[in-house]
Amino acid sequence: MQLVVGRIGKPHGVRGEVTVEVRTDEPEARFAPGTVLRTEPGATPPPTIDEPGVPFQVPAELTIEEARFHQGRVLIAFEGVLDRNTAEALRGTLLVVDSADVEPPDDPEEFHDHQLVGLAVVTPAGERLGEVARIDHAPSSDLLVLRRPEGRTALIPFVRAIVPEVDLAGGRVIVDPPAGLLDL
């Protein structure tokens, strides 16, 4: 499974640096110089560079040459991206890593999103409520997005009072929802 760790934004300067919207808890590790990241083109096709008849193709991998933090943003220089036009052509590209390459968290109470997606959601009595469709990261707490059997979705705050147990080996999340939570 491919995990998105960042999205390339606008160029910064004229020497090929780009801003990156960080989508990882470990930006220093993910964006270290020498790191090779796979790419997925953004939603819109990249523009062409200034070579007649030669459309720019986003490479399948980009190697980080330099990364630095500047005014709360990550600025990255990739090997081979030497000018603003090429940097602009990368805008919208997603930077991804394979989930198999991601170390599991040391804390047994901490989980990566990809570990939870697809798990069955059950009550303490064993009643199946649905499955985890995704995790939304809200300001106050993370939310499990539950796909209900009838096709609706429900949001469940990922807090110990409501989610007392995550059983990765058993493929389930035990949820003790207060009355009416799943009807919202």
Side-chain angles (χ1 to χ4, degrees):
M1 169 187 275
Q2 297 296 312
L3 304 176
V4 176
V5 296
R7 182 179 162 276
I8 297 177
K10 65 183 181 178
H12 180 82
V14 297
R15 295 191 178 127
E17 272 188 319
V18 295
T19 61
V20 173
E21 174 190 319
V22 176
R23 296 189 186 172
T24 177
D25 289 343
E26 303 168 330
E28 293 84 5
R30 297 279 170 244
F31 303 122
T35 301
V36 177
L37 297 170
R38 293 187 194 101
T39 63
E40 287 186 12
T44 58
T48 58
I49 58 175
D50 291 335
E51 292 182 35
V54 179
F56 178 79
Q57 297 293 317
V58 175
E61 297 181 335
L62 289 168
T63 302
I64 297 174
E65 188 172 276
E66 182 183 345
R68 62 190 173 102
F69 291 84
H70 176 69
Q71 296 180 348
R73 291 187 290 184
V74 177
L75 301 178
I76 296 181
F78 292 106
E79 288 181 8
V81 179
L82 305 174
D83 60 41
R84 186 175 182 88
N85 289 340
T86 307
E88 178 64 42
L90 293 173
R91 187 188 290 227
T93 300
L94 298 176
L95 302 170
V96 299
V97 296
D98 193 312
S99 62
D101 298 336
V102 176
E103 298 270 335
D106 294 331
D107 182 354
E109 297 295 315
E110 186 177 326
F111 307 95
H112 291 298
D113 292 2
H114 72 276
Q115 292 176 295
L116 301 172
V117 173
L119 294 182
V121 177
V122 298
T123 65
E127 176 191 353
R128 185 174 169 89
L129 300 173
E131 75 175 33
V132 178
R134 69 175 189 276
I135 312 299
D136 284 352
H137 300 281
S140 60
S141 73
D142 293 338
L143 298 167
L144 297 176
V145 178
L146 172 66
R147 184 178 309 116
R148 303 279 286 152
E150 66 274 7
R152 295 183 311 115
T153 60
L155 299 177
I156 300 173
F158 195 21
V159 295
R160 182 172 291 286
I162 299 172
V163 184
E165 184 181 348
V166 175
D167 179 8
L168 292 178
R172 65 189 184 143
V173 176
I174 298 175
V175 174
D176 191 10
L181 178 67
L182 301 179
D183 299 326
L184 297 175

